[in-house]
Amino acid sequence: MDKSAFRKNYGTTIGAFVKEALHNLKKADESKVIVFIQGSADITGDKTFTGKLDDRFPFQKISVLPQKNEPERFSGQAVEKETPMQNFKNNHLPNLRAQYLKEMISVYSKKIDPVLLDGVVKKYVSKEERNAVIYLFFPEDLLSGDRK
């Protein structure tokens, strides 16, 4: 999806998300809020799918926090994942989706620099898993009102 189509379909939603995420924060607290994005895919096409990166989105190197052995646990040290321009596979789709969403969010705010969590390919067929999810992290002191 090109950027103008994305803005037409999702721009209002992303713009509202960015505005609401930062709206009630003091300037000093904005840097404490972290946006995480994790892409996913289902097992469909795992053996047969191949793709070609669009020249407008040459996401050949994507920096992600790798998943630890436990579900929903990630390393604090980012690693770079490579995606071939030609013949990328189903297992590349989660991080490509997340990187694309990160790029689109950056259009709406320079204050938010999303961190990508290593994406996953689910072991079952489900169209609902062909997406990217945004997680918004607020430190406990911001939520409890114990600001120093």
Side-chain angles (χ1 to χ4, degrees), residues 18-50:
V18 169
K19 182 180 175 187
E20 290 300 317
L22 299 176
H23 179 70
N24 292 316
L25 295 176
K26 295 177 185 176
K27 291 281 184 206
D29 291 337
E30 285 179 359
S31 64
K32 296 177 184 178
V33 175
I34 303 171
V35 173
F36 292 99
I37 302 174
Q38 184 179 33
S40 67
D42 68 354
I43 197 77
T44 302
D46 209 45
K47 303 272 191 250
T48 58
F49 174 79
T50 60

Side-chain angles (χ1 to χ4, degrees), residues 11-102:
T12 303
T13 303
I14 295 295
F17 165 75
V18 169
K19 182 180 175 187
E20 290 300 317
L22 299 176
H23 179 70
N24 292 316
L25 295 176
K26 295 177 185 176
K27 291 281 184 206
D29 291 337
E30 285 179 359
S31 64
K32 296 177 184 178
V33 175
I34 303 171
V35 173
F36 292 99
I37 302 174
Q38 184 179 33
S40 67
D42 68 354
I43 197 77
T44 302
D46 209 45
K47 303 272 191 250
T48 58
F49 174 79
T50 60
K52 177 182 181 265
L53 288 180
D54 188 311
D55 291 335
R56 297 171 296 167
F57 307 103
F59 302 144
Q60 289 180 280
K61 295 182 183 200
I62 300 173
S63 182
V64 300
L65 296 181
Q67 193 165 14
K68 292 184 173 183
N69 292 335
E70 302 173 47
E72 300 181 16
R73 303 286 269 178
F74 296 86
S75 170
Q77 187 67 32
V79 298
E80 199 169 77
K81 298 274 185 138
E82 300 258 349
T83 303
M85 282 295 287
Q86 304 282 334
N87 300 318
F88 68 82
K89 304 290 183 193
N90 194 52
N91 65 311
H92 295 106
L93 289 174
N95 291 337
L96 288 169
R97 287 180 175 133
Q99 181 65 37
Y100 177 80
L101 187 54
K102 177 180 179 168

Side-chain angles (χ1 to χ4, degrees), residues 81-146:
K81 298 274 185 138
E82 300 258 349
T83 303
M85 282 295 287
Q86 304 282 334
N87 300 318
F88 68 82
K89 304 290 183 193
N90 194 52
N91 65 311
H92 295 106
L93 289 174
N95 291 337
L96 288 169
R97 287 180 175 133
Q99 181 65 37
Y100 177 80
L101 187 54
K102 177 180 179 168
E103 297 285 321
M104 294 300 103
I105 288 173
S106 72
V107 169
Y108 292 91
S109 176
K110 301 299 179 213
K111 296 175 185 176
I112 298 177
D113 185 22
V115 174
L116 302 185
L117 303 175
D118 199 8
V120 294
V121 176
K122 303 295 181 166
K123 305 267 186 241
Y124 51 87
V125 176
S126 173
K127 288 183 180 181
E128 288 77 33
E129 295 299 337
R130 302 173 195 168
N131 65 40
V133 176
I134 300 171
Y135 299 98
L136 190 57
F137 171 78
F138 288 95
E140 195 171 319
D141 66 310
L142 290 182
L143 297 176
S144 66
D146 297 336

